[in-house]
Amino acid sequence: MEIPITRPSMVSYADEVNFSELIENLLKKRHNGFIRVTSGSEEGYILFKEGQQVAASYERYSKSDAVAMIDSAMENDDTVIEVFDLRSSYVDYIMDVNKPYLMEPDYDVYGVIKELRKPEDNELGIDVKSVPQTEPQTEPVTGTEKTETVTGAEDNEPILGEQETEPQEEFESSKATEEEEELLPESVVGEEEELLPESETEEKLDLEDLKEKFDIGTIDDARAEFDLKADKSSKGTEESSKGTKIVSEISESPKESETKTTEQSIQDEESFDESEKQELKPADRSELMEKYGIKEINEDDVDDILESYKGGSLSDDDVEKIELNLMNKIKKSIYGIPKVKGAEVMVFLDNNGRELAGNVNIIIEYESKGFLSRLLGDYKDNDHLRRQVMNIVQIELKKGFRKYPKVFDNFDIKVEIG
Amino acid sequence: MTRVITVASGKGGVGKTTITANLGVALSTYGEETIVLDADVAMANLELILGMEGKSITLHDVLSGEASIDEAIYEGPGGVKVVPAGISLEGLRKIKLDRLEEVLEKLVEESDILLIDAPAGLEKDALAAIAAAQEMILVTTPEVPSISDALKTKIIANKLGVDIIGVVINREQHDKTFLTIEEIETILEVPVISVIPDDPEVSRAAAFGEPLVIKNPKSPTSNAIMQLGADLIGQEYQPIEPDKKGVIAKLIEGLLGRR
Ligand SMILES: Nc1ncnc2c1ncn2[C@@H]1O[C@H](COP(=O)(O)OP(=O)(O)O)[C@@H](O)[C@H]1O
Ligand SMILES: [Mg+2]
């Protein structure tokens, strides 16, 4: 995937982070940004928009295959996981330039990753659980920081779906340390610092600006651009000098009810039980649909889907309309041929078979010519005209059945020239 | 009269094939002459789950006129009969869809229950599998994308005049699922007829090529599927006590939709 690498807001190793929890947390935070997973020489990305996975790549794999690869890369303890933050408008842009990697709408990586979940993960995967095990000296620091951050944040209300909180706010509430900065490439850190004061205004850049910058600027420009965002989120954790562990706590976000809806707000740990209880309350269907962001299925969509099955076959009313329509279009085009004096066009659709089929019969009155030309080339002219008419019919049919190009093969076309 | 039941989901990877295979075995163990037709070719793993891969004559050969349907019916574990697909129904449609109807008629003649493992999605082949049946079992996981696809599938099935028996919630994780049973029922407006736990045994059994209901009949998952099979045909089923205490209680809790 084409993604400008900036400064990550979190770095960890696979054995230190519970990947499924990380994904869940990003979902809950409605994270905009991406994860990079580096396993040996292989790299993978999952792009997030509002917490949903919208695109993925892993080496030559894309979409869900890539997610599966990334998932299995987690089995390698040395796999590096980095979380990067992006503004949501920028995510749209990244999606735009990475079309081949876009997930099918509604694709859910959660199911794949769920298997990694541990039964007792009421705690957060990264800092609380994993890090202390491997890096005992970081525990007290990260632990404390984390608690402070969480309680300091304003978005700790336990009520499900009632609060709209930008995930960034939580990120912003943390502070950077010098150690982390040293962990990053010089240039990136430098640029980022230069641009730091601008960060407030940068926030207001719109998509066009971003595109422009990205297209014109160097990678480093783009990096710097992102760093503004990443920087905010990267402040916050004391680091053990041992190395690239956690730059900041993506998973600070508390663990609780796991709805995927975009309306979902960030909640804190205490709310877990409470929201669980809330879910037990009988809710009205439309409320539920809204809560989980499930769209009501549109009748037209269903009709379209069923229509696709029929491969273009139609109701009898439709058949007549289409016959007439095609007839007129073909006629009109034929009259556009010089020397055509008249044309009779008949279109018959056969809607009774497995697939739509049809006949097109055309009789053309051609401008009569002098007997000399008739002697010399009329038969050639006729051939030419026939081909021209055939072409017209074919084009009209193709246009008419654009959605079902195969239907076109089921047509029998006859042209008579009188 | 033979019942033709399609197991469909919309979204892939939710456990259709797992459930179809095990349910097929369950129904045969109850003495029902059951044929499982594999229509899910993109993920043609029904045979794998039943440990019957590598069958050379498939539905495709039948439809292209190279074999008779009897040659494509294989006997699997527990006496369940299996027809491997070999090629997508969409592909088949191009060749000889009329024959598919004949084949289905033949299969219907030879069975009490014809179970069709539908492909994921709502492409032509999936629609064919849905339309081919009178009844449908909807499979979903308790997650939004899966439920949303199930909803779409349900509405299409309604349009096609297919009876929806109910929804099977697969991979339910006690206490940790996105949506509760009640919520799913409310959203889909279809009764939940079975709740199958998320169970690592499922994949293990698949790897062994042995359906879980045979490999480990005591597991809550097997009990849930056996119960589902019994409910489908109005049989009694006495859950097999698992060795570990408490699991059954959990299962029952799950079935009742408690958390
Ligand atoms: N109840 C379950 N618990 C754990 N894993 C499951 C369960 N049901 C299915 N799976 C696993 O999920 C994956 C997809 O299942 P499958 O039956 O092939 O889905 P589908 O046919 O809908 O694509 C398989 O790896 C299967 O082993
Ligand atoms: Mg399948």
Side-chain angles (χ1 to χ4, degrees):
Chain A
M1 222 170 354
E2 287 218 42
I3 297 191
I5 298 304
T6 59
R7 177 185 169 141
S9 57
M10 188 222 82
V11 180
S12 187
Y13 288 97
D15 61 341
E16 291 168 339
V17 63
N18 183 327
F19 192 56
S20 64
E21 285 186 25
L22 173 62
I23 300 278
E24 273 175 60
N25 282 323
L26 294 178
L27 175 67
K28 272 177 247 154
K29 293 195 161 207
R30 300 168 63 193
H31 181 70
N32 285 307
F34 60 97
I35 290 182
R36 175 167 67 175
V37 167
T38 314
S39 180
S41 61
E42 296 180 338
E43 253 186 23
Y45 298 88
I46 302 177
L47 183 65
F48 293 80
K49 181 186 166 71
E50 300 287 323
Q52 304 283 347
Q53 299 90 22
V54 290
S57 72
Y58 188 90
E59 295 297 300
R60 66 198 162 82
Y61 299 92
S62 61
K63 305 178 189 181
S64 50
D65 290 346
V67 175
M69 291 302 292
I70 288 169
D71 193 19
S72 52
M74 291 305 136
E75 280 159 31
N76 173 5
D77 287 352
D78 295 331
T79 294
V80 181
I81 302 152
E82 297 156 287
V83 177
F84 299 83
D85 309 330
L86 299 174
R87 265 189 297 282
S88 68
S89 58
Y90 209 90
V91 172
D92 289 336
Y93 174 57
I94 304 264
M95 285 171 74
D96 239 348
V97 296
N98 287 291
K99 289 218 173 79
Y101 303 104
L102 291 185
M103 307 276 199
E104 269 70 63
D106 280 351
Y107 173 75
D108 169 36
V109 73
Y110 187 78
V112 180
I113 286 157
K114 195 158 73 173
E115 276 173 17
L116 294 170
R117 285 218 244 163
K118 305 244 154 55
E120 70 291 343
D121 52 358
N122 223 357
E123 300 282 19
L124 301 161
I126 297 168
D127 47 337
V128 178
K129 197 147 85 194
S130 317
V131 173
Q133 285 160 9
T134 39
E135 299 274 340
Q137 63 273 55
T138 61
E139 179 176 23
V141 187
T142 41
T144 317
E145 278 284 323
K146 177 192 156 260
T147 321
E148 278 169 14
T149 315
V150 171
T151 45
E154 293 164 359
D155 44 17
N156 290 335
E157 294 303 319
I159 293 107
L160 185 72
E162 284 187 3
Q163 246 195 289
E164 281 291 334
T165 316
E166 287 299 318
Q168 300 95 287
E169 284 179 20
E170 187 161 350
F171 293 156
E172 280 167 36
S173 63
S174 27
K175 300 222 152 54
T177 68
E178 262 135 56
E179 280 111 308
E180 308 154 22
E181 310 235 335
E182 280 164 23
L183 301 172
L184 293 155
E186 298 275 302
S187 63
V188 175
V189 173
E191 307 240 7
E192 174 224 323
E193 278 172 354
E194 277 166 40
L195 282 163
L196 204 54
E198 282 177 307
S199 61
E200 295 312 315
T201 50
E202 289 287 346
E203 205 61 69
K204 292 181 182 80
L205 273 180
D206 68 6
L207 182 57
E208 282 314 304
D209 293 333
L210 289 165
K211 281 189 181 177
E212 209 176 292
K213 274 224 167 173
F214 188 57
D215 287 342
I216 298 166
T218 63
I219 288 290
D220 275 343
D221 285 338
R223 283 184 176 185
E225 173 84 12
F226 294 124
D227 281 341
L228 297 166
K229 184 70 202 318
D231 177 62
K232 288 183 184 171
S233 49
S234 64
K235 300 167 181 173
T237 322
E238 284 285 22
E239 258 307 307
S240 88
S241 51
K242 240 184 167 170
T244 22
K245 297 302 175 206
I246 292 155
V247 177
S248 114
E249 309 293 348
I250 271 293
S251 71
E252 275 162 13
S253 135
K255 160 104 197 148
E256 25 51 300
S257 91
E258 300 151 345
T259 40
K260 311 192 84 164
T261 163
T262 45
E263 283 85 32
Q264 180 64 39
S265 66
I266 295 154
Q267 296 165 33
D268 80 23
E269 240 150 317
E270 280 70 38
S271 73
F272 186 77
D273 288 336
E274 199 144 344
S275 56
E276 282 283 293
K277 275 180 221 133
Q278 285 199 347
E279 282 179 4
L280 281 176
K281 282 189 209 152
D284 162 59
R285 179 164 184 269
S286 50
E287 266 170 39
L288 279 176
M289 301 280 279
E290 204 183 318
K291 171 177 166 191
Y292 293 111
I294 296 174
K295 284 196 212 85
E296 193 58 85
I297 309 301
N298 186 326
E299 284 279 311
D300 290 349
D301 292 349
V302 174
D303 288 342
D304 279 355
I305 291 169
L306 289 174
E307 204 56 52
S308 80
Y309 182 79
K310 296 195 228 156
S313 75
L314 303 142
S315 78
D316 287 349
D317 276 0
D318 288 342
V319 167
E320 269 177 39
K321 266 187 241 155
I322 290 176
E323 283 174 347
L324 206 70
N325 200 314
L326 276 174
M327 218 163 72
N328 287 333
K329 283 187 169 159
I330 293 170
K331 213 173 201 172
K332 209 170 145 198
S333 298
I334 289 174
Y335 275 114
I337 303 173
K339 291 188 189 168
V340 167
K341 277 173 68 183
E344 203 56 60
V345 178
M346 283 153 287
V347 178
F348 304 105
L349 296 187
D350 176 7
N351 192 33
N352 298 319
R354 286 283 171 193
E355 288 195 335
L356 189 68
N359 287 294
V360 181
N361 294 329
I362 297 167
I363 302 167
I364 290 178
E365 219 185 307
Y366 202 39
E367 193 174 285
S368 64
K369 296 177 176 177
F371 91 102
L372 249 187
S373 67
R374 214 178 295 170
L375 269 181
L376 293 174
D378 237 15
Y379 66 98
K380 268 190 195 159
D381 272 10
N382 281 0
D383 270 1
H384 183 237
L385 179 63
R386 182 170 286 114
R387 273 202 301 275
Q388 248 180 313
V389 171
M390 284 290 227
N391 255 333
I392 285 170
V393 175
Q394 289 181 359
I395 288 167
E396 289 303 335
L397 286 177
K398 274 185 180 157
K399 277 202 280 193
F401 296 103
R402 195 170 309 161
K403 270 193 184 165
Y404 319 104
K406 275 179 239 151
V407 164
F408 166 77
D409 296 332
N410 304 337
F411 273 81
D412 198 19
I413 306 164
K414 285 204 192 89
V415 181
E416 237 178 78
I417 297 172
Chain B
M1 216 197 96
T2 303
R3 294 173 72 181
V4 183
I5 305 174
T6 289
V7 180
S9 67
K11 190 171 177 297
V14 300
K16 265 186 317 293
T17 305
T18 305
I19 288 165
T20 313
N22 281 284
L23 188 58
V25 175
L27 290 167
S28 338
T29 61
Y30 290 129
E32 298 287 320
E33 190 70 278
T34 308
I35 300 181
V36 179
L37 175 67
D38 187 0
D40 184 3
V41 180
M43 308 262 287
N45 46 15
L46 184 93
E47 296 91 284
L48 298 182
I49 290 174
L50 293 171
M52 348 178 19
E53 64 270 32
K55 300 295 183 230
S56 51
I57 299 174
T58 64
L59 183 63
H60 175 230
D61 302 309
V62 177
L63 294 176
S64 55
E66 282 155 37
S68 78
I69 180 65
D70 298 311
E71 295 173 272
I73 304 176
Y74 299 88
E75 176 134 356
V80 67
K81 305 259 173 55
V82 178
V83 179
I87 193 173
S88 77
L89 287 185
E90 152 110 80
L92 298 171
R93 192 162 178 278
K94 276 186 221 119
I95 318 168
K96 293 239 155 59
L97 202 79
D98 292 332
R99 280 189 90 103
L100 177 63
E101 265 172 7
E102 274 169 42
V103 165
L104 286 172
E105 276 163 26
K106 194 84 195 291
L107 292 175
V108 162
E109 268 170 38
E110 295 191 13
S111 60
D112 300 325
I113 297 176
L114 175 58
L115 272 189
I116 302 177
D117 181 13
L122 287 168
E123 304 288 308
K124 283 185 188 176
D125 47 357
L127 293 174
I130 294 169
Q134 298 118 26
E135 297 175 89
M136 178 196 268
I137 293 173
L138 209 48
V139 178
T140 184
T141 57
E143 292 148 36
V144 170
S146 163
I147 289 162
S148 151
D149 279 8
L151 182 59
K152 208 180 280 173
T153 307
K154 178 204 109 169
I155 287 169
I156 286 188
N158 282 343
K159 278 230 161 185
L160 290 169
V162 179
D163 276 350
I164 296 169
I165 302 171
V167 60
V168 173
I169 299 174
N170 190 28
R171 311 197 69 163
E172 145 83 3
Q173 284 185 309
H174 194 65
D175 271 1
K176 318 189 89 239
T177 25
F178 262 34
L179 283 89
T180 65
I181 315 299
E182 293 86 351
E183 285 177 330
I184 295 169
E185 210 162 48
T186 309
I187 288 170
L188 293 179
E189 298 177 298
V190 170
V192 172
I193 52 171
S194 179
V195 178
I196 297 170
D198 188 53
D199 180 358
E201 280 286 315
V202 169
S203 314
R204 214 167 295 148
F208 277 96
E210 208 181 339
L212 190 68
V213 288
I214 287 180
K215 186 170 185 285
N216 187 358
K218 289 176 183 175
S219 76
T221 307
S222 292
N223 276 315
I225 293 171
M226 290 302 291
Q227 183 67 59
L228 172 62
D231 290 345
L232 281 179
I233 54 171
Q235 279 247 2
E236 283 291 314
Y237 174 67
Q238 202 60 49
I240 304 174
E241 272 303 317
D243 303 326
K244 252 196 275 168
K245 264 199 174 168
V247 183
I248 267 291
K250 217 166 146 190
L251 168 74
I252 290 163
E253 215 172 57
L255 286 169
L256 294 175
R258 300 252 171 73
R259 310 179 125 243

